[in-house]
Amino acid sequence: MIRLIPSLPALYVAARVVWPSPWPLAVKLAATVLLIAASQYHLWSRLSSGSVFAPEFPRPVVILFNGAFGALALAAPMLLALDAVALVGWAVPGGGWAVPLAWRYAAVLAALVLAALAVAQAVRVPPLKDVTVAIPDLPPAFDGYTLLHLSDLHLSRLFPAPWAEAVVTRANALRTDLIVVTGDFIDGALSSRRDDVAPLRALTAPDGVWAVPGNHEYFFDYEAWMRHLGGMGIRMLVNAHTVLQREGGALVLAGVTDRSAPATGHPGPDLAAALAGAPAEAPVVLLDHQPGNAAKAAAQGVRLQLSGHTHGGMIRGLDRLVARGNAGFVSGAYRVGGMVLYVSNGTALWPGFALRLGRPSELTRITLRAGGALG
């Protein structure tokens, strides 16, 4: 049952720090067992709920698991770097430098501190980030229009009802014209998360709360979640659009399903269907959980696409790997042809890897302005 690949960092830390230490054998064995146990966090999550995406432990346990798992993920490359330098030293004539045990202790301590900071950054109620987007053909009545972009709430044991209540309170206090959510509302079945999502019912904005599903909705009972979220006043744009009207001007808000939907037997994203019947002269704001199809959206005349999914890459440096799986898009604003793509770092993130270093969570307030180039 032990998963080999996640255990490798734990075994490396044990081999380079625990076993060279002058500790009693029983202590070394106990430390090694604890390291391997921490590395198997996703196995314990699966055993707790049947899914690696929904650890059903008390919140403090989920936080400790993330901290321990993160410390291993950070300590192993630090120790490997020290050993690589020592190996180079051995290869140089007159070399033979060895890594002092104290340096290895320091690397582990640094990893523990960074992991604790990373988890604290991940689980906080996110700060506000203001973004201005210029749209060339924006009707004058929508100049200065504000929308709040939420994404990747991942409501779960790690992000439970009190956290959701704090997010909703902060969101409503911003008094934006519109609130949009680009998917990944939950991690868990409706029976487990009903109380955690309940605070979202209080989200309010003059032009409503609109959303699209993320890939995590399809990991659980998708139909049940769509019905439940719709019943809470969150209007889902499932390959569909709505038209916002102000003083004779119009703005189209469209939404598509997630790219992962066909794998579970559900309709995939269909922008043509989403825009069918939309007024041709109105600029389009598109909600798409994943940013990978941005070039296609730009080619179909979308002016602004809002996405999430990447969590901003979570850790600076790691974000470059995340970008490779998302057509190069990972965090912030991008110009894609005549369209602006904004990729949110996420309001929260998956509780299976709740670490943030240099890629903070965010509540994103977007102000639309008339003007700008078509690109």
Side-chain angles (χ1 to χ4, degrees):
M1 291 181 63
I2 298 297
R3 300 165 71 241
L4 177 61
I5 292 178
S7 68
L8 293 179
L11 294 173
Y12 191 75
V13 172
R16 303 306 293 147
V17 178
V18 174
W19 288 94
S21 297
W23 304 339
L25 178 60
V27 173
K28 294 180 180 181
L29 287 171
T32 301
V33 169
L34 286 174
L35 290 173
I36 294 174
S39 75
Q40 300 302 304
Y41 170 40
H42 299 125
L43 172 61
W44 311 138
S45 295
R46 184 184 294 277
L47 293 176
S48 73
S49 67
S51 171
V52 298
F53 297 104
E56 295 296 338
F57 306 116
R59 190 174 193 247
V61 175
V62 178
I63 289 173
L64 284 172
F65 261 127
N66 272 284
F69 188 82
L72 285 173
L74 294 168
M78 290 182 186
L79 294 170
L80 185 61
L82 288 175
D83 287 341
V85 171
L87 184 61
V88 171
W90 278 101
V92 174
W97 179 69
V99 180
L101 187 57
W103 288 31
R104 297 179 200 163
Y105 288 156
V108 171
L109 178 60
L112 286 167
V113 171
L114 286 173
L117 176 63
V119 173
Q121 291 287 305
V123 302
R124 67 178 177 171
V125 175
L128 175 66
K129 181 177 180 181
D130 271 306
V131 176
T132 299
V133 176
I135 296 179
D137 45 359
L138 187 71
F142 282 93
D143 188 35
Y145 189 85
T146 57
L147 58 91
L148 181 66
H149 179 199
L150 307 178
S151 189
D152 300 275
L153 292 159
H154 288 280
L155 295 172
S156 58
R157 286 294 185 95
L158 185 59
F159 299 102
W163 181 90
E165 288 173 3
V167 169
V168 169
T169 298
R170 188 168 293 183
N172 287 342
L174 295 173
R175 300 184 181 277
T176 56
D177 297 301
L178 175 73
I179 295 175
V180 298
V181 188
T182 51
D184 279 5
F185 284 85
I186 49 85
D187 276 307
L190 178 57
S191 58
S192 301
R193 295 283 84 84
R194 189 182 299 272
D195 291 342
D196 296 322
V197 301
L200 300 185
R201 191 182 298 273
L203 279 173
T204 184
D207 284 336
V209 181
W210 299 83
V212 292
N215 57 311
H216 282 229
E217 274 72 68
Y218 295 94
F219 296 160
F220 301 97
D221 190 338
Y222 170 80
E223 287 83 4
W225 272 118
M226 292 301 99
R227 289 193 299 269
H228 188 73
L229 292 170
M232 295 173 63
I234 299 171
R235 288 173 275 192
M236 305 300 295
L237 292 169
V238 181
N239 293 331
H241 75 270
T242 188
V243 180
L244 306 173
Q245 304 270 358
R246 281 200 168 191
E247 300 175 15
L251 181 68
V252 173
L253 179 67
V256 293
T257 57
D258 188 71
R259 296 170 73 183
S260 66
T264 59
H266 295 92
D270 188 338
L271 183 54
L275 295 178
E281 73 283 359
V284 176
V285 176
L286 174 66
L287 309 182
D288 187 347
H289 176 64
Q290 299 194 41
N293 285 333
K296 294 179 180 179
Q300 290 183 253
V302 172
R303 288 287 177 254
L304 171 62
Q305 176 176 322
L306 301 178
S307 297
H309 182 64
T310 65
H311 307 158
M314 297 160 288
I315 297 174
R316 192 173 292 275
L318 179 63
D319 58 341
R320 302 324 308 158
L321 294 176
V322 175
R324 292 180 64 180
N326 291 276
F329 308 120
V330 66
S331 175
Y334 301 85
R335 172 67 66 176
V336 185
M339 182 185 82
V340 173
L341 165 67
Y342 187 82
V343 184
S344 170
N345 286 352
T347 315
L349 76 177
W350 174 46
F353 194 77
L355 304 165
R356 287 190 182 274
L357 288 172
R359 291 300 187 190
S361 55
E362 61 186 70
L363 295 174
T364 318
R365 180 169 56 191
I366 297 175
T367 301
L368 304 183
R369 291 295 182 186
L374 286 173

